Amino acid sequence: YSGIGGEVIVGRQTLNFGSRRLVARNVFRNSINSFTGARVHLLDYNNWQLNVFATMPVLRLPADETGLLDNRQQWDEEDDSTWFSGAFLEVFDIAWNINSELYLYHLDEGDSHDNLTRNRRYFTPGFRLYIKPTPGAIDFQAETIGQFGTVRGSTAVSDGKDLDHKAWMQHAEAGYTFDHPWTPRLAFEYDYASGDKDPKDNQDERFDTLYGARRFDFGPTGIYGAF
C-alpha cells in the first residue's frame, strides 16, 4: 500500500490505544468500556497512524444496588456531563525496529443524575518506546505518563472543593523470546505510580488510570508462568 488512508467513526464505539494502560477495550470482563462520539483515524501504511477523538463515556445501567438485585432492565446511556477526548500518534520503526507513541488525553468530568463523580479535570500526556517481541531477539518497552489538573476529594454533592492534581507513572520492561516452537519469553518488568503523600495538603497525587484495562500486565489468564 502507498499513500494516506483514513476513516471517520461516529456513534457508540470502543477505544483501544497503545499499551492499553489508559484507554482499553476490556478483555476479562462481561462488560466493556464504551463511548459515544466521533473518532478520526489517519494512517500512512507501515509508517505512522493518528487517532483524534471526542467522546462521552457510556454509563452501564442500572448502577444502583436495588436495580441490580431486582434484575431491572435498562438501556445504557452516555454521560453528557463528561467529555473524554485526545490524540494518539504512533510512528513505526523510527530506528532499529523501535516504535514510538505520543499522546495527550483530556478528561472533563461533571455530575449527572445517574452518576455522581469526583469532577476529574485532567490532562494526561505520555509517550512510549518499544520493540515488539520476536523469536531469538531482545525486546523492550518504556512508557512515561504525566497527569495534572484538578479533582475533588469525594463524590459527595456537598464537596465543592477542587484539589490540585499532579501525578505520574513509569513502566520499564526488557525481555527475550526464545526461538523454540512454543516461543517462551523471559521478561523483567518495573512499574511505578505516584500516590497521595498527605491527604490533608489540598493536593491529590494519586495516579489515575482513566479508562485503562484493570489487568493489562497481570491478567488472570493473560500470563501463564512463575510470576
Side-chain angles (χ1 to χ4, degrees), residues 42-53:
L42 301 175
L43 72 160
D44 184 354
Y45 294 95
N46 299 320
N47 292 314
W48 59 266
Q49 65 175 337
L50 172 68
N51 279 282
V52 180
F53 65 94

Side-chain angles (χ1 to χ4, degrees), residues 59-68 72 74 76 114-115:
L59 301 176
R60 292 182 289 271
L61 302 174
D64 61 290
E65 182 179 358
T66 301
L68 292 170
R72 189 174 76 233
Q74 185 175 355
D76 293 343
D114 293 318
N115 188 39

Side-chain angles (χ1 to χ4, degrees), residues 8-213:
V8 178
I9 303 171
V10 179
R12 188 162 294 182
Q13 57 192 283
T14 59
L15 302 175
N16 200 64
F17 296 138
S19 66
R20 305 177 65 247
R21 292 186 174 89
L22 295 175
V23 187
R25 178 187 172 95
N26 304 94
V27 177
F28 298 108
R29 280 191 351 203
N30 61 2
S31 59
I32 59 176
N33 295 330
S34 54
F35 305 84
T36 299
R39 174 164 63 98
V40 178
H41 178 210
L42 301 175
L43 72 160
D44 184 354
Y45 294 95
N46 299 320
N47 292 314
W48 59 266
Q49 65 175 337
L50 172 68
N51 279 282
V52 180
F53 65 94
T55 61
M56 294 175 287
V58 173
L59 301 176
R60 292 182 289 271
L61 302 174
D64 61 290
E65 182 179 358
T66 301
L68 292 170
L69 293 176
D70 291 343
N71 292 320
R72 189 174 76 233
Q73 304 297 311
Q74 185 175 355
W75 290 107
D76 293 343
E77 297 178 357
E78 54 272 0
D79 185 357
D80 57 10
S81 297
T82 299
W83 281 91
F84 181 56
S85 57
F88 192 98
L89 173 65
E90 299 176 74
V91 180
F92 306 114
D93 194 12
I94 56 176
W96 306 293
N97 295 321
I98 298 175
N99 306 294
S100 65
E101 299 170 350
L102 181 66
Y103 52 85
L104 174 64
Y105 300 126
H106 179 226
L107 175 63
D108 189 350
E109 186 179 60
D111 294 336
S112 62
H113 175 71
D114 293 318
N115 188 39
L116 297 179
T117 72
R118 295 180 64 201
N119 294 81
R120 296 174 296 171
R121 292 181 172 89
Y122 296 157
F123 286 96
T124 305
F127 68 91
R128 182 169 77 119
L129 300 173
Y130 68 97
I131 295 178
K132 293 182 179 180
T134 55
I138 295 175
D139 61 84
F140 84 96
Q141 181 181 164
E143 184 166 19
T144 301
I145 308 170
Q147 199 169 66
F148 59 93
T150 61
V151 64
R152 292 179 183 171
S154 70
T155 60
V157 177
S158 58
D159 186 357
K161 185 177 182 179
D162 290 332
L163 307 176
D164 290 332
H165 177 78
K166 295 179 182 178
W168 70 287
M169 176 184 176
Q170 178 66 53
H171 174 84
E173 175 183 339
Y176 179 82
T177 303
F178 295 89
D179 193 4
H180 289 282
W182 53 292
T183 59
R185 179 173 178 264
L186 176 67
F188 298 91
E189 299 185 10
Y190 171 82
D191 283 286
Y192 174 86
S194 62
D196 198 18
K197 297 178 181 179
D198 184 355
K200 299 180 181 180
D201 63 358
N202 296 324
Q203 293 185 350
D204 180 82
E205 298 160 312
R206 182 178 181 180
F207 184 78
D208 192 316
T209 55
L210 301 179
Y211 300 98

